[in-house]
Amino acid sequence: MIYIFCAPSGSGKSTMVNHLLTNHPNLFELSVSCTTRPPRGQEVHGKEYYFISLDEFQQRIKNDDFIEYEQVYEGLYYGTLKDEIARIEAAGRQVLFDVDVKGGINLKRILGDKATSIFICPPSIDELRKRLEGRGDTSPEMIEKRLAKASIEMEDMKHFDRVVVNDTLDHAFEQLDAIINEEK
Ligand code: ADP
Ligand code: 5GP
């Protein structure tokens, strides 16, 4: 099974994905996307993302290297590499995707029954703002852009196979573990 995680930025997607990776290191592996945004904090090339230039990104589009790609924010491109599914499946693990809502809907359409799409829903937009501010690695201008996008993305929740409400962490992990157990 392939799991596609989507959520408005700051809703807890990385927290949910890391929960699975930490608890089941031999079962799951994260698909590493390409991005043209610079690394944040402790991010490492090849771990969170392949950080590449816009020129290289455009070359990879021409080479047809991506299953899907999006300009997620103005001037910032993110793309899922076709090779990642093959790389992770060859290692005997299940693929986790962490992509934006549009990308997730596209991936689900392409992968069909091979994938379960999971929407991580914040308890409220106010709480989302607090979490983005609390993370301390996003500028006030980017936080406003992400919140504006979040309100639009929430309307797409209905296109997902499953929804996890990330109110308290314990409750969110419980919902996620139940989904994984059901799909096994
Ligand atoms: P995303 O990957 O969706 O952008 P993160 O997983 O980075 O979001 O979470 C955003 C911030 O909110 C992080 O600082 C994270 O530690 C915090 N966070 C995540 N889930 C919760 C929760 N249930 N309660 C409080 N804070 C949370
Ligand atoms: P961030 O800059 O916070 O790491 O990511 C911003 C958004 O881009 C998040 O919603 C993340 O899931 C999304 N994203 C990351 N990789 C991809 C990808 O390959 N394709 C798409 N469509 N979105 C992605």
Side-chain angles (χ1 to χ4, degrees):
M1 183 50 76
I2 292 172
Y3 294 94
I4 304 166
F5 285 86
C6 296
S9 177
S11 304
K13 226 180 342 166
S14 312
T15 307
M16 295 303 125
V17 167
N18 286 332
H19 168 76
L20 292 184
L21 292 173
T22 306
N23 287 312
H24 311 279
N26 296 319
L27 193 56
F28 299 114
E29 193 165 336
L30 182 66
S31 163
V32 181
S33 292
C34 289
T35 181
T36 63
R37 81 151 165 78
R40 261 193 327 238
Q42 302 299 308
E43 288 179 336
V44 175
H45 179 81
K47 185 164 174 266
E48 285 82 6
Y49 286 106
Y50 301 110
F51 296 99
I52 62 175
S53 66
L54 184 57
D55 276 355
E56 190 178 342
F57 201 98
Q58 282 165 341
Q59 189 55 51
R60 282 182 165 265
I61 295 173
K62 276 193 202 140
N63 295 351
D64 201 21
D65 287 347
F66 295 119
I67 310 177
E68 63 78 37
Y69 68 91
E70 294 285 338
Q71 184 175 7
V72 176
Y73 300 106
E74 206 184 316
L76 296 182
Y77 288 82
Y78 295 76
T80 307
L81 291 164
K82 289 181 180 168
D83 285 355
E84 284 292 289
I85 297 184
R87 174 181 74 78
I88 294 167
E89 289 185 345
R93 299 201 177 95
Q94 297 182 19
V95 184
L96 306 182
F97 285 113
D98 171 341
V99 293
D100 84 327
V101 173
K102 239 169 137 185
I105 292 170
N106 283 336
L107 279 177
K108 173 67 190 179
R109 204 182 47 231
I110 295 162
L111 297 171
D113 289 344
K114 283 202 278 181
T116 297
S117 59
I118 304 176
F119 190 95
I120 311 296
C121 181
S124 67
I125 295 287
D126 269 358
E127 179 61 25
L128 189 58
R129 176 187 292 279
K130 283 190 199 134
R131 288 184 191 171
L132 281 170
E133 287 171 352
R135 202 168 60 182
D137 60 3
T138 309
S139 69
E141 190 200 342
M142 276 308 282
I143 288 179
E144 292 314 316
K145 280 191 186 167
R146 285 174 185 227
L147 287 173
K149 191 173 158 86
S151 304
I152 299 165
E153 287 174 329
M154 298 284 276
E155 287 168 23
D156 281 327
M157 198 167 19
K158 56 183 178 291
H159 298 300
F160 285 75
D161 295 326
R162 312 298 293 255
V163 174
V164 169
V165 180
N166 183 14
D167 38 19
T168 66
L169 271 185
D170 281 351
H171 184 225
F173 290 156
E174 208 176 282
Q175 295 168 70
L176 182 56
D177 292 341
I179 292 171
I180 301 296
N181 280 327
E182 269 177 48
E183 298 291 346
K184 251 194 228 162

